Amino acid sequence: MSLAKFGNITNFEEKACFVKKFFLELYQGEIELFRSPSKHYRTRAEFSFYHYNDKLDYAMFDPKNKKKFIVKDIDFPDKKICDFMPILLEKIKANLNLKEKLFGVEFLATKQDLSATLLYHKDVELIYSDLSKLSSNLNCNLIARSKKKKIVFKNENLTQKLQIQNKEMLYEFNNDCFIQPNTFINEKMITWVNENLALQNKKDLLELYCGYGNFTLALANNFRKVLATEISKNNINFALKNCKLNNITNIDFVRLSSEELSSALKKERKFFRLKNLNLDHFDFSHTLVDPPRAGLDKSVIDVIKKYDNIIYISCNPISLKENLKILDQTHKISKMAIFDQFVNTPHLECGVFLTKK
Ligand SMILES: C[S@@+](CC[C@H](N)C(=O)[O-])C[C@H]1O[C@@H](n2cnc3c(N)ncnc32)[C@H](O)[C@@H]1O
């Protein structure tokens, strides 16, 4: 089956059917399906602007005919974003300083909060007072950016509350963090991992690509100790903060790329960032990976295949399959799920539990 064919499917039932066949040579068991609501599912939404005559509208880019089109009455972003978009547009249209050289906006919504980041092709400090007035008239976090400049009005951080089984987890992050784009599906993914972990023997967890602790915090009480790593300093700073917010004391968050972590575990290189940790004191029964679309490289696969249990969360079935073919030499897939994280697009999220053969 070709990558091109997979790229055409957007309906979830058809995507699920395709994925079952796609992974059949590696896994013949049941695949659990998690559907998303069909409206207001997107946590983050980005738009450009269409300036014509004296008018202004939200716009999106159509990659097929390489043209912008005006966006009206859309229902895929979070309801808070949809309700807020016309209010913001009217206020910008009424002020020439705010309107001129505005080329984009990024919205981010949690269950509680909303932020809007305005993107300008001019120095945002020149319109500071207009932006400040706009911010005081709006019920959201407002951020304005231009080349090398960022002004934050109110607060840049958003809070999120996730319901994971009978527990409410608290998170804080900002627009620069990696954020799972569908909150409903995010809760389902973490819950699915948690429920399946409940059935297994557990010691310590090694997590790679941990972000701001989205999975880490909710899974930590399954384990004696957790070592969670990630490349972005911003994500790690929020992960450390989120640990305190939830009163969790058994996680060590360390800023390390997956490549750095593998050389630290192989004792090829010493890291100052690991000076307070003795890696030999961990007894990893599980490893959790949630890599970017490219999947895992050979050095990371060499690290994770040492452990008895691997949990692999993937936003790209193609790289997932490539990686699973290698892991198939040492591990067997015991559970698999498909999550409709990216509704009405060819993309989808997979979750896989593997155990050592
Ligand atoms: C798909 S996201 C998953 C984040 C997190 N698990 C979550 O659910 O929010 C992948 C994460 O990997 C991080 N990342 C990208 N390349 C990396 C690398 N080479 N080593 C470690 N982390 C990396 C990104 O910063 C991002 O936070």
Side-chain angles (χ1 to χ4, degrees), residues 3 6 19-20 22-23 26-27 31 192 289-297 301 304 310-328 333 335-339 348-354:
L3 174 58
F6 187 71
V19 162
K20 276 182 192 167
F22 188 61
F23 285 99
L26 296 166
Y27 181 65
I31 300 184
W192 179 77
V289 291
D290 180 9
R293 287 187 60 73
L296 307 173
D297 69 27
I301 295 180
I304 65 168
I310 301 169
I311 306 155
Y312 194 145
I313 306 293
S314 163
C315 59
N316 181 359
I318 311 292
S319 58
L320 174 64
K321 188 173 172 185
E322 288 308 307
N323 292 164
L324 289 179
K325 276 186 190 165
I326 304 174
L327 288 168
D328 186 52
I333 299 176
K335 286 262 167 205
M336 191 160 177
I338 308 174
F339 303 91
L348 89 169
E349 192 92 22
C350 299
V352 182
F353 269 71
L354 298 122

Side-chain angles (χ1 to χ4, degrees), residues 178-180 186 207 209-212 214-215 229-232 235 256-259 290-292 315:
F178 172 86
I179 296 149
Q180 297 286 358
N186 189 27
E207 184 184 354
Y209 315 96
C210 68
Y212 58 78
N214 179 46
F215 282 93
T229 60
E230 149 75 44
I231 200 168
S232 142
N235 281 343
L256 285 175
S257 72
S258 50
E259 299 77 12
D290 180 9
C315 59

Side-chain angles (χ1 to χ4, degrees), residues 4-16 18 345-347:
K5 187 166 180 211
F6 187 71
N8 295 333
I9 306 172
T10 56
N11 170 282
F12 184 56
E13 312 304 324
E14 287 175 33
K15 282 194 275 189
F18 184 86
T345 76
H347 302 282

Side-chain angles (χ1 to χ4, degrees), residues 126-148:
L126 298 174
I127 53 165
Y128 185 93
S129 67
D130 299 276
L131 288 163
S132 174
K133 258 187 233 148
L134 175 68
S135 160
S136 55
N137 286 326
L138 293 174
N139 189 19
C140 82
N141 294 351
L142 184 73
I143 299 149
R145 279 187 193 254
S146 55
K147 202 173 175 190
K148 294 187 185 161

Side-chain angles (χ1 to χ4, degrees), residues 9 14 26 30 47 55 66 77 85 88 90 102 135 139 158 164 236 238 240 246 263 272 281 290-291 306 322 341:
I9 306 172
E14 287 175 33
L26 296 166
E30 189 205 344
F47 301 97
K55 294 186 180 155
K66 298 192 168 75
M85 285 174 70
L88 178 68
E90 285 315 307
L102 174 65
S135 160
N139 189 19
L158 291 93
I164 308 298
I236 285 289
F238 277 102
L240 291 165
N246 293 279
S263 55
F272 184 70
H281 289 175
D290 180 9
K306 293 201 181 90
E322 288 308 307
Q341 168 106 281

Side-chain angles (χ1 to χ4, degrees), residues 172 210-213 217 228 233-248 251-255:
E172 200 172 310
C210 68
Y212 58 78
L217 301 165
K233 194 172 183 177
N234 185 54
N235 281 343
I236 285 289
N237 287 342
F238 277 102
L240 291 165
K241 194 171 183 181
N242 290 332
C243 221
K244 288 195 184 136
L245 264 181
N246 293 279
N247 295 318
I248 297 174
I251 308 175
D252 286 297
F253 282 107
V254 186
R255 182 173 64 83

